[in-house]
Amino acid sequence: MSEMTGNNSASKETIIEISDLNKWYDDFHVLKNINLKVAEGEKLVICGPSGSGKSTLIRCINRLETHQQGKIVVNGIELTNDVKRIDQVRRDVGMLFQNFNLFPHMTVLENLTVSPVWILKKPMAEARELAFHYLERVKIPHLADKYPNQCSGGQQQRIAIARCLCMNPKVMLFDEPTSALDPEMIKEVLDVMTDLAESGMTMLCVTHEMGFARTVSDRIVFMDAGEIVEVNEPEEFFNNPQYDRTVAFLSQIISH
Amino acid sequence: MKNWQSSPSLPSPEQQQGLIKWCRMNLFSSVVNTLLTLTGLLILWWLIPPFFQWAVVNSCWTGDSREVCDAAFAASGKTGACWVFIKVRLGMFMYGFYPEVERWRINFVLLVLALGLLPVLAYGIFSKNLRQAIFGVFGLLTVFYFFGIIPAIFTAAFFFLPFLLDFLSARLAWLAVSLDLWHTLIKLCLMLLVGALTFFLAVTFIGEGHGWASTLATVVLLLVLFFVRNVTVFAWRWILLFTIFPLFAFYMLVGNVFSLAHVETHYWGGFFLTLVVASSGMATALPIGILMALGRRSELPVIKVVCVVFIEIARSVPLVSVLFMASVMFPLFLPESVTFNKLLRALVGIAFFYAAYMAEVVRGGLQAIPKGQYEAAKALGWPYWRMMAVVILPQTLRLVIPGLAINFLSLLKDTTLVAVIGLLDLLGIAKASMADAEWLGFTKEAYVFAGIVFWVFCFAISRYSVRLEKKLHTSLH
């Protein structure tokens, strides 16, 4: 586990490069001229009001959404319609969802082993070992034989994180991972995410957890109306925002 | 600071109550309910005792001709059911015109089917390999006792092959795991070799033109063995049921190979024919239906249009007309030299007709799967077919068990419609037997018997589906 802070990330190699990205839903221009570079090991928090395109942006990175213009390069592979490239990128990029999306017909252990076995062609024994390793890491090895609907929301999200980690991703995308959780469960998920950040994982988080953004992230990306308004280091972002739109957003968040 | 502790849970006041209290609450709770209960009892009183009188008390069971029944009824002065009729005609009802000396072949095939099917249907009971083995040995002894040594050897091979395949696929894991060019080439060559060998053996021992089916079955088995990992004994049983079993059943029932006599399909009939049509219909309609459901939701326009057109046409015509088309119209479009067996045409017609219905049921289930499931699978890197087979369809099929059960049931009952193209299933044979001059006037017995046989099988399917639903739904949301 390598300890890593924000300021040495510039020396690392770029793992995601987004240039001049534009996307439309029919006539609606959801993403406008997005340019973003993410270095290996960097932790990015993406925030902004709802409908600002933050989820759409990270869903473009593993091609759950297609873009019409611009270029997305992940780990040296440019995303096009080529299915092989998409599959390769998806193996490198893990994703967490607001609703966990565990497979309900499989036990927790099966949820964790099925992808390594079927996609990475790992032997079952090895996959099980890996699964238990990551279940330990998210602190719920005792749930291995339960079904997802027998677990609490916080536990399900931690299982989902372990499921991602079993695929050994280089980048992890978080799409509002704590938005569907009770306040008491948010902390256990954020703890796991912090632990993950400390281990040097490249993370892109769409979240409203400003405390997490302040303490864990290297940079904060603020988006509104499909555009990146500003990108800044957390201290700067909270104490010295550059745009009036950012100030307005922050005042909304802080006030309640 | 005070220490808070949650209060203890108390038992619910609604306790189990006695029979009298239950009756009072559910049957006689108000004037209207009391009246309804009494009316219901009255109707039962009108219906059941007379039927019981007819079917059991006054009925005639022993003897082997009509005269026995007539004499018995004349002596007692009351008429009842003459079950002698059913007894005498039982062979006909069950096997149709299949030659009597060859009927053991049907029994043997059905026994092997039961041996293959029970462990996969009741997989909860047979989850342990030891239990399966005990069951297999028991079945083996039965086969040996009734049919002799050669059928027993085949049964042993069929029943214990999954264990061998499971063992082999575990040993061949290194083969299945590597996708590099050399290994793939070796595997393909091996498949070609074994396939060619099968073809050669089949042509030599079974006959000209019989090579392809056996080769196909072998190649499918090898494909799974070489390219799919973690196939369980349970899955191997399904695969055998869809590869080796149809071949075996075909050669066994039709004959004309080895020393088995040829029994043409127009001798087939009775409940045996019902089972042939229903089971082959179920086994083919569901997989085709699943493919068509996926096709209808496909983003590829040509596939989508083909599936939509096919499903809509098949749904909009009655089964009887499909059967007529298959038996009367279809041969008109073919050159005279090409002929297909009438039964085969009916089977194909029924399979595609029901596939359309199943496709719509499955599509309904697919629509109920949340979008997040697809997204999660895609985000983990699952390609389309594997995602469908492992993540999406298992959930879908659980959701649509009631709909599929309805289709299976109506398929089983609709097999009686093959009568319109001159095939005599159980009901057809029953009707034909009524017309027999010696047994005129015993229609009731024949219909009641056919009804009971259909009811037993339909009820079994229905209960099984309920059981499966309960068992599988516990794990869903």
Side-chain angles (χ1 to χ4, degrees):
Chain A
M1 283 199 191
S2 60
E3 290 296 321
M4 198 176 300
T5 45
N7 37 22
N8 67 355
S9 60
S11 61
K12 285 282 204 168
E13 278 183 43
T14 306
I15 192 159
I16 299 173
E17 186 168 3
I18 301 170
S19 36
D20 301 322
L21 181 73
N22 277 285
K23 177 176 170 59
W24 289 263
Y25 286 129
D26 295 324
D27 284 339
F28 178 55
H29 200 168
V30 268
L31 293 177
K32 301 173 189 162
N33 286 319
I34 305 285
N35 284 287
L36 190 66
K37 271 189 190 178
V38 183
E40 220 178 321
E42 201 177 10
K43 280 65 121 163
L44 231 65
V45 161
I46 303 169
C47 60
S50 35
S52 59
K54 26 186 216 311
S55 285
T56 311
L57 174 61
I58 65 164
R59 287 160 60 89
C60 281
I61 295 171
N62 64 355
R63 199 75 174 180
L64 287 184
E65 304 280 354
T66 53
H67 57 273
Q68 282 90 13
Q69 270 178 22
K71 209 169 136 181
I72 302 177
V73 181
V74 181
N75 202 23
I77 302 163
E78 191 189 340
L79 278 167
T80 59
N81 281 325
D82 183 356
V83 181
K84 277 198 171 159
R85 287 179 181 208
I86 296 173
D87 283 344
Q88 188 55 51
V89 167
R90 282 176 179 168
R91 278 176 214 183
D92 292 338
V93 178
M95 186 168 198
L96 271 295
F97 299 87
Q98 188 176 342
N99 299 318
F100 332 126
N101 295 338
L102 295 171
F103 304 139
H105 59 304
M106 299 177 188
T107 62
V108 169
L109 185 63
E110 285 166 345
N111 262 287
L112 265 62
T113 54
V114 70
S115 304
V117 167
W118 281 86
I119 309 299
L120 302 180
K121 309 274 177 193
K122 287 200 168 143
M124 195 61 188
E126 195 183 315
R128 281 176 65 100
E129 206 173 303
L130 202 67
F132 274 108
H133 171 75
Y134 284 117
L135 277 179
E136 297 274 358
R137 186 153 164 199
V138 298
K139 302 181 187 69
I140 39 177
H142 58 286
L143 295 178
D145 293 323
K146 291 262 194 290
Y147 281 93
N149 68 342
Q150 296 168 315
C151 306
S152 74
Q155 289 169 338
Q156 288 195 43
Q157 193 60 289
R158 285 189 282 161
I159 295 163
I161 292 173
R163 178 174 73 171
C164 259
L165 291 173
C166 282
M167 295 297 279
N168 194 20
K170 294 192 170 67
V171 179
M172 281 178 78
L173 310 173
F174 294 80
D175 190 357
E176 307 204 20
T178 54
S179 298
L181 298 175
D182 291 343
E184 285 190 325
M185 294 171 183
I186 290 178
K187 188 180 171 296
E188 61 190 49
V189 172
L190 289 181
D191 283 349
V192 170
M193 286 168 65
T194 309
D195 172 56
L196 205 60
E198 281 166 1
S199 75
M201 176 66 74
T202 313
M203 291 163 66
L204 275 77
C205 281
V206 172
T207 184
H208 298 297
E209 298 298 329
M210 286 302 134
F212 177 78
R214 191 190 282 269
T215 52
V216 177
S217 74
D218 297 322
R219 284 188 295 165
I220 297 180
V221 178
F222 175 63
M223 288 181 74
D224 188 30
E227 280 180 280
I228 293 181
V229 178
E230 70 170 283
V231 183
N232 225 330
E233 290 185 3
E235 285 308 312
E236 283 289 296
F237 181 80
F238 286 107
N239 301 334
N240 186 21
Q242 303 292 305
Y243 289 87
D244 52 349
R245 183 66 192 89
T246 318
V247 176
F249 176 74
L250 285 174
S251 69
Q252 290 298 318
I253 284 194
I254 308 301
S255 70
H256 83 143
Chain B
M1 196 181 287
K2 284 185 214 165
N3 178 10
W4 180 83
Q5 267 176 344
S6 61
S7 335
S9 305
L10 298 173
S12 157
E14 284 173 34
Q15 295 289 335
Q16 283 283 320
Q17 285 148 354
L19 184 66
I20 294 170
K21 199 157 186 192
W22 184 89
C23 284
R24 196 178 290 162
M25 264 178 65
N26 293 291
L27 299 177
F28 304 104
S29 58
S30 69
V31 178
V32 178
N33 282 354
T34 309
L35 278 176
L36 283 175
T37 304
L38 291 177
T39 319
L41 285 175
L42 198 65
I43 292 172
L44 289 181
W45 179 248
W46 276 334
L47 289 178
I48 290 175
F51 180 78
F52 187 73
Q53 285 273 327
W54 175 80
V56 181
V57 179
N58 295 336
S59 64
C60 178
W61 296 80
T62 50
D64 53 5
S65 70
R66 169 173 197 146
E67 283 71 40
V68 186
C69 287
D70 285 342
F73 297 150
S76 67
K78 291 173 191 156
T79 47
C82 176
W83 296 122
V84 176
F85 173 44
I86 304 296
K87 215 172 79 180
V88 171
R89 288 302 174 104
L90 192 63
M92 194 72 149
F93 282 158
M94 289 292 134
Y95 306 102
F97 302 99
Y98 211 91
E100 228 161 295
V101 285
E102 307 292 345
R103 283 178 186 170
W104 67 272
R105 282 154 56 174
I106 298 177
N107 296 338
F108 176 42
V109 169
L110 289 181
L111 195 59
V112 171
L113 178 65
L115 279 176
L117 210 52
L118 260 174
V120 287
L121 289 186
Y123 62 91
I125 300 170
F126 294 103
S127 57
K128 295 208 172 63
N129 284 353
L130 181 68
R131 291 189 199 166
Q132 279 187 42
I134 292 170
F135 176 72
V137 169
F138 197 68
L140 207 60
L141 290 176
T142 318
V143 171
F144 179 69
Y145 177 76
F146 283 109
F147 306 111
I149 184 71
I150 295 175
I153 291 171
F154 173 81
T155 314
F158 183 78
F159 191 86
F160 293 101
L161 192 59
F163 294 118
L164 177 70
L165 287 167
D166 185 48
F167 176 79
L168 273 182
S169 67
R171 287 292 167 287
L172 293 177
W174 60 274
L175 254 180
V177 72
S178 81
L179 288 172
D180 74 49
L181 196 63
W182 275 115
H183 278 150
T184 313
L185 270 180
I186 292 171
K187 283 188 263 187
L188 288 178
C189 286
L190 211 61
M191 270 167 57
L192 216 64
L193 205 71
V194 178
L197 190 70
T198 318
F199 188 82
F200 174 73
L201 287 175
V203 168
T204 342
F205 288 104
I206 303 177
E208 204 71 27
H210 282 277
W212 290 114
S214 321
T215 311
L216 185 69
T218 320
V219 168
V220 168
L221 281 182
L222 287 179
L223 262 178
V224 179
L225 188 63
F226 286 159
F227 292 100
V228 186
R229 290 168 49 76
N230 299 309
V231 185
T232 55
V233 174
F234 175 75
W236 278 118
R237 287 208 184 281
W238 274 122
I239 295 166
L240 287 192
L241 277 172
F242 276 84
T243 49
I244 305 229
F245 181 77
L247 272 182
F248 153 74
F250 176 81
Y251 287 124
M252 208 56 205
L253 297 174
V254 177
N256 210 11
V257 289
F258 303 116
S259 55
L260 296 171
H262 188 191
V263 182
E264 284 187 60
T265 52
H266 59 253
Y267 290 113
W268 297 18
F271 191 59
F272 157 59
L273 185 69
T274 303
L275 283 182
V276 168
V277 176
S279 55
S280 61
M282 289 172 194
T284 45
L286 183 57
I288 299 173
I290 290 172
L291 287 181
M292 285 203 290
L294 294 179
R296 195 168 180 168
R297 285 167 60 89
S298 167
E299 283 164 13
L300 307 170
V302 177
I303 292 177
K304 184 173 177 158
V305 166
V306 168
C307 290
V308 170
V309 168
F310 181 85
I311 290 171
E312 292 306 329
I313 290 177
R315 287 208 301 174
S316 332
V317 291
L319 180 55
V320 174
S321 69
V322 172
L323 290 172
F324 261 123
M325 280 287 282
S327 82
V328 182
M329 303 285 287
F330 185 61
L332 297 179
F333 300 127
L334 291 173
E336 278 194 28
S337 55
V338 182
T339 52
F340 279 107
N341 182 289
K342 189 160 78 174
L343 177 62
L344 182 66
R345 277 179 275 148
L347 290 182
V348 173
I350 288 178
F352 277 97
F353 181 83
Y354 270 97
Y357 280 86
M358 306 232 181
E360 286 301 280
V361 172
V362 172
R363 190 169 68 96
L366 285 170
Q367 277 169 346
I369 303 294
K371 217 171 118 225
Q373 291 290 313
Y374 293 88
E375 288 180 348
K378 281 184 191 166
L380 286 162
W382 287 76
Y384 178 81
W385 284 107
R386 268 181 270 172
M387 166 174 85
M388 281 300 165
V390 180
V391 179
I392 305 295
L393 281 174
Q395 295 183 54
T396 309
L397 294 179
R398 278 160 208 231
L399 283 176
V400 298
I401 287 170
L404 291 180
I406 289 177
N407 273 312
F408 278 160
L409 288 174
S410 70
L411 200 163
L412 179 62
K413 290 183 285 185
D414 278 358
T415 55
T416 52
L417 290 176
V418 295
V420 300
I421 56 168
L423 297 170
L424 293 178
D425 74 313
L426 175 60
L427 199 66
I429 287 277
K431 276 184 163 172
S433 306
M434 291 168 207
D436 186 343
E438 200 206 330
W439 291 96
L440 280 179
F442 290 116
T443 46
K444 268 189 258 171
E445 286 84 345
Y447 277 130
V448 167
F449 175 72
I452 288 173
V453 173
F454 271 108
W455 181 82
V456 165
F457 276 78
C458 290
F459 190 65
I461 293 178
S462 155
R463 292 321 300 172
Y464 181 70
S465 86
V466 171
R467 208 184 87 109
L468 206 60
E469 210 182 316
K470 274 190 189 151
K471 189 165 177 162
L472 296 178
H473 266 244
T474 46
S475 61
L476 284 186
H477 337 257

